[in-house]
Amino acid sequence: GRYLAALEGLAADPEPMVVGAVLDSLNDVERPFVPADLEDEYAAYIRRALRPALDRIGLRPRDGESETTTLVRPRLLLWLGDNGRDDEIRAFAEEQAAAFLADPDSVPPSVAGACLVLASIDGTPEEFEAAKKRFEAAATPTERARHLQALGSFRDPAIVERALDYAFSGPLRPNELFTIPASLTQTPAGSDRAYLWMAGNYGKLAERLPPEFMGFMPFFAGGCSAERLESAQEFFADPEHQTTGTEQMVGRVAAQVDECLALRAREGDTVRGFLEGAGS
């Protein structure tokens, strides 16, 4: 709880590099400490902690601003629009995404990707199909990556399944295969689905990736779920699911999950008390 209070104070620092460090730290907080029943309280905390920082630097780039400011802005937009459920930021992102799709030169490149991601969260099946066409028509690696990230950001469960199928059925290169499933790992349920996607498609992945890369697949079991870790330990015990480095990676992931669970057991109540009392 004191740590979260400290991060809120640090987010008020005028130096954007400090704000960026706060965002890095929040990445380590959400997974162990924010279950589904605390998401509303956590969102309120994110808005309170981070919205002043974004208001300070502005929604759009300014002449003469530092490179660090330009880099931290889209991260703040994503944190506030997604984790913070900030309606104003969501509306801004949808407006900018529509403008970008109509005329890419009308929106600063530094915020375009973040706005496309936020606009996709509540997107429809029709919007998903349109996003696929934009990805397939992309002329540059940057444009391609931007639209692929948006494809992985839809949250409707039925669209998520279509997106995961597209990872193999679409014209994705080997280095792009994990963009969509990695986007799911922002939530516990999404992490479970991403792990199941990996396990269910292990053979297809092995056909398209170098053997040494397959040794990293246990990382899909990382996070803070004992059940997912147990499933992964059983899955990777099968010789058909092993390659160079698999055993070592399972051990590293197990240590990470055990550490996360121990941290949750030790500090979960203090974080809950802080978040539930922060708005009172």
Side-chain angles (χ1 to χ4, degrees), residues 23 39-40 56 115 135 151 176 180 202 219 225 264:
L23 300 182
E39 287 179 354
D40 289 344
R56 190 166 61 245
C115 291
F135 167 72
L151 279 172
E176 298 171 329
I180 290 173
Y202 186 88
F219 277 115
S225 169
R264 176 184 290 175

Side-chain angles (χ1 to χ4, degrees), residues 68-87:
T68 308
T69 298
T70 304
L71 292 173
V72 83
R73 180 180 290 105
R75 298 182 65 196
L76 283 169
L77 286 169
L78 288 169
W79 269 96
L80 284 161
D82 189 0
N83 312 69
R85 303 176 184 178
D86 189 309
D87 291 336

